[in-house]
Amino acid sequence: MYPRCAFLLATLMVVGAVYFANASWLAPEPEGKARLMAHRGIHQLYDRDSIDKDTCTANRMLPPTNPFIENTLPSIAASFQAGADILEIDIHPTIDNEFVVFHDWTIDCRTEGSGVTRDQSLEYLKSLDVGYGYTADGGKTFPFRGKGKGMMPSLAEVLKAFPEQRFLINFKSRWLREADLLQEYLKRHGITIDDRIMVYGHDKPVRRWKAINPAGFAFSKAAMKTCTLDYMKVGWSTALPASCAGSVIGVPINYRHLVWGWPNRFLDRMRQSNTTVIFLGDIENENGAPGITDPDDLDAVPSGFDGLIWTDAIEKVGPAWTKKAGERAGGA
């Protein structure tokens, strides 16, 4: 009987130690300001069920609720007006040494053209209709066809049109050389590489970008996943994984309470390790977590959160967050 009691007591002591080491209420409340990261800007939402990286999302568009096509100048402008602090855009190099802002690896899905995006010239890409392939009823109607003619912008056009705004530039390839091409391109177009130019994507080009621009903000999807999983494994012990130092960690809204020390203790640890926290939407399937689309989900963002709120619906989330932030400031 005695050994069993000793084991139970030891177990309780360990559980208690872990609890107090991760008790949010024992940590100071964070003091900061969240930033809204608008993924794709204002765009057409789509059915995410069973998609992969090659799925054409234009032909599985949900009934449209806004008039914008992603990665176009009108969409970008409307996104910042809706409250985006940072806008995520997708880029591809072209055969004539330019960069175009467009999501897909090929032009077959969204336009009337065909072929790999980076195998085309900028002139040809700018002649296409980027609204051509959108349909919400299986091809019966195409509500954006003809409305996106000539609207695929170059990266220089975007950055010069919004000189004061911040962008998260997504490398769509695994090509290490693309980082050098991007730096050369920006310098050629007279665009300063400063803190408004942020980069993410595959580990190879991101690592290279960080090597040639060590002061800039850049992360790979793999690095974010590694930090997140490593912290879930060892965070109970108060240890900070080396993979998180100066990196990025993702927190899906439906798993936030499983994150060790959430919210105050966790956010304090991330601050100490210079780790950027990205608050995400629900993990729905093996394709990972999308951005937040429901303004009611903003209630889950802790007061004083100073990370990034990743949203796929800035037109709804932006105004709601502005209102909520004002209410919190007024109640402080």
Side-chain angles (χ1 to χ4, degrees), residues 11-181:
T11 300
L12 291 174
M13 290 177 66
V14 170
V15 170
V18 171
Y19 168 76
F20 283 106
N22 291 281
S24 175
W25 58 277
L26 291 176
E29 289 191 6
E31 295 181 3
K33 181 179 179 182
R35 292 159 291 166
L36 292 180
M37 176 80 79
H39 178 230
R40 296 194 180 191
I42 300 181
H43 65 284
Q44 301 306 311
L45 297 180
Y46 50 87
D47 181 3
R48 295 179 60 89
D49 187 46
S50 301
I51 66 171
D52 59 33
K53 63 183 181 63
D54 297 317
T55 300
C56 176
T57 57
N59 63 19
R60 51 197 294 157
M61 174 184 70
L62 300 176
T65 59
N66 68 74
F68 297 104
I69 301 171
E70 65 188 61
N71 284 317
T72 62
L73 294 178
S75 168
I76 293 170
S79 300
F80 285 124
Q81 290 170 4
D85 296 296
I86 305 164
L87 185 67
E88 185 267 357
I89 56 176
D90 308 289
I91 63 168
H92 301 266
T94 64
I95 59 171
D96 48 353
N97 205 28
E98 295 289 336
F99 270 91
V100 71
V101 178
F102 185 68
H103 179 271
D104 296 353
W105 185 257
T106 70
I107 55 178
D108 302 60
C109 170
R110 300 180 197 280
T111 81
E112 72 275 30
S114 64
V116 175
T117 305
R118 64 190 53 223
D119 290 344
Q120 319 302 322
S121 69
L122 179 62
E123 181 181 7
Y124 173 67
L125 292 170
K126 289 179 72 65
S127 74
L128 298 173
D129 178 6
V130 293
Y132 188 87
Y134 286 86
T135 179
D137 52 16
K140 295 178 182 178
T141 61
F142 293 87
F144 293 97
R145 184 167 290 184
K147 298 179 180 180
K149 193 74 171 178
M151 290 181 64
M152 190 187 302
S154 70
L155 177 59
E157 283 182 275
V158 170
L159 296 179
K160 289 181 178 181
F162 304 95
E164 305 298 324
Q165 305 294 353
R166 303 182 72 186
F167 290 89
L168 178 65
I169 297 174
N170 182 14
F171 287 126
K172 299 299 290 187
S173 81
R174 302 182 179 187
W175 189 26
L176 182 147
R177 171 69 177 151
E178 195 164 323
D180 294 274
L181 289 179

Side-chain angles (χ1 to χ4, degrees), residues 225-235 241-244:
K225 182 177 181 180
T226 298
C227 168
T228 302
L229 294 178
D230 286 351
Y231 182 77
M232 294 304 294
K233 292 175 185 176
V234 305
S243 60
C244 289

Side-chain angles (χ1 to χ4, degrees), residues 277-290:
V277 181
I278 300 182
F279 200 58
L280 301 162
D282 284 0
I283 288 183
E284 300 172 333
N285 50 46
E286 66 276 9
N287 296 303

